[in-house]
Amino acid sequence: MTPGLMGCNHMRVSENYHSVIEKAFQRHYSEQSDVWTTDIGMRVLPLLIQGQLRLSAESRVLDIGCGSGLDTLVYGDLSQQVTGVDIFDHPEWRQIENTHSHIRFIHGNFLSCPLEGPYDVIIDNGCFHHQTEESLAHYLAKIHHLLPAHGHFVLSTFSDRLKSTYIDDYQRIHHYFSDEALSAILAEARFAVLTTLFIYRPKYGNYYRISFCQKAAEA
């Protein structure tokens, strides 16, 4: 079991969780209950990333869980090679791709869709903490594989010392990692955490934890 987590296998997680989470996001977008799309706490992440990493035009950027492409457009203003991947096929992608030839979108689950690295920077703004406990290591291993030596990985996760992992009404898992648990998970996946920032979520009284990581040097 992952250190510091409630075992999801004890929480009646569906055996076909990939399908469950795909349907959950389809419902959210069709019901317009995708509150994260307009969440200012999530929208400021590209600005924090540029402030910390100073992306160059030559940087190859992968935006995991890109949604309708709001953040991807910001990265597209900074870099000439940007890829967004999301489990929901957003109609907004077509217009963005038509007007920004250097931005590409891929419809699929990050864990299973083919991606061509390396990417200099990989960003996960809210997908990792919805994965099953059994998938966490595989998820990070794929990111590690897609990065070059010393490439950067930026991860946004929930932070609330009073909350534990739970499953919502859409059957999505919500991991509330402790700082210690997340540090152990990232270290096991061979990522060095360079900086951690927190964005306050006034509606919930908790935080997004932004972990700026770098692929550790091979032994």
Side-chain angles (χ1 to χ4, degrees):
M1 182 182 299
T2 305
L5 294 183
M6 179 188 301
C8 290
N9 53 322
H10 300 303
M11 299 174 63
R12 298 183 182 178
V13 175
S14 168
E15 292 181 1
N16 190 13
Y17 184 66
H18 290 316
S19 176
V20 167
I21 200 166
E22 182 176 356
K23 291 177 181 177
F25 279 104
Q26 287 176 344
R27 284 183 58 191
H28 271 299
Y29 285 113
S30 64
E31 296 168 0
Q32 297 184 332
S33 58
D34 51 316
V35 294
W36 54 87
T37 298
T38 55
D39 184 347
I40 190 171
M42 297 190 77
R43 297 287 69 80
V44 301
L45 183 59
L47 308 183
L48 287 177
I49 289 174
Q50 181 61 7
Q52 290 289 315
L53 301 183
R54 304 292 200 276
L55 301 182
S56 70
E58 292 74 33
S59 299
R60 293 191 68 198
V61 177
L62 175 63
D63 183 11
I64 302 172
C66 64
S68 61
L70 293 175
D71 289 1
T72 318
L73 273 170
V74 178
Y75 302 130
D77 287 338
L78 304 169
S79 169
Q80 296 175 358
Q81 299 182 72
V82 181
T83 300
V85 59
D86 199 272
I87 202 167
F88 183 79
D89 189 1
H90 294 262
E92 293 88 346
W93 292 353
R94 310 299 168 260
Q95 178 63 27
I96 294 173
E97 289 180 324
N98 287 339
T99 55
H100 299 76
S101 60
H102 64 296
I103 295 178
R104 174 189 177 215
F105 291 102
I106 299 174
H107 173 216
N109 188 312
F110 169 72
L111 278 170
S112 56
C113 69
L115 293 165
E116 296 180 5
Y119 298 96
D120 300 295
V121 181
I122 297 180
I123 301 134
D124 184 316
N125 191 4
C127 291
F128 180 68
H129 52 211
H130 292 306
Q131 306 306 308
T132 65
E133 185 176 331
E134 294 77 14
S135 298
L136 297 178
H138 176 43
Y139 195 101
L140 291 177
K142 184 169 184 177
I143 291 172
H144 193 277
H145 173 72
L146 290 170
L147 285 170
H150 308 298
H152 288 90
F153 170 42
V154 183
L155 174 64
S156 175
T157 51
F158 300 127
S159 178
D160 189 330
R161 62 184 181 84
L162 300 179
K163 286 191 175 183
S164 300
T165 295
Y166 72 92
I167 297 177
D168 67 17
D169 292 340
Y170 293 81
Q171 300 304 300
R172 287 188 309 156
I173 297 167
H174 294 246
H175 286 300
Y176 278 79
F177 303 105
S178 68
D179 292 343
E180 296 77 13
L182 185 61
S183 293
I185 292 168
L186 290 169
E188 180 68 21
R190 295 174 293 161
F191 286 105
V193 179
L194 305 178
T195 306
T196 302
L197 303 176
F198 292 86
I199 300 173
Y200 185 58
R201 305 171 72 204
K203 181 177 179 180
Y204 302 99
N206 56 27
Y207 299 85
Y208 291 121
R209 178 200 297 110
I210 314 302
S211 303
F212 286 85
C213 309
Q214 191 168 39
K215 182 175 179 176
E218 298 292 340

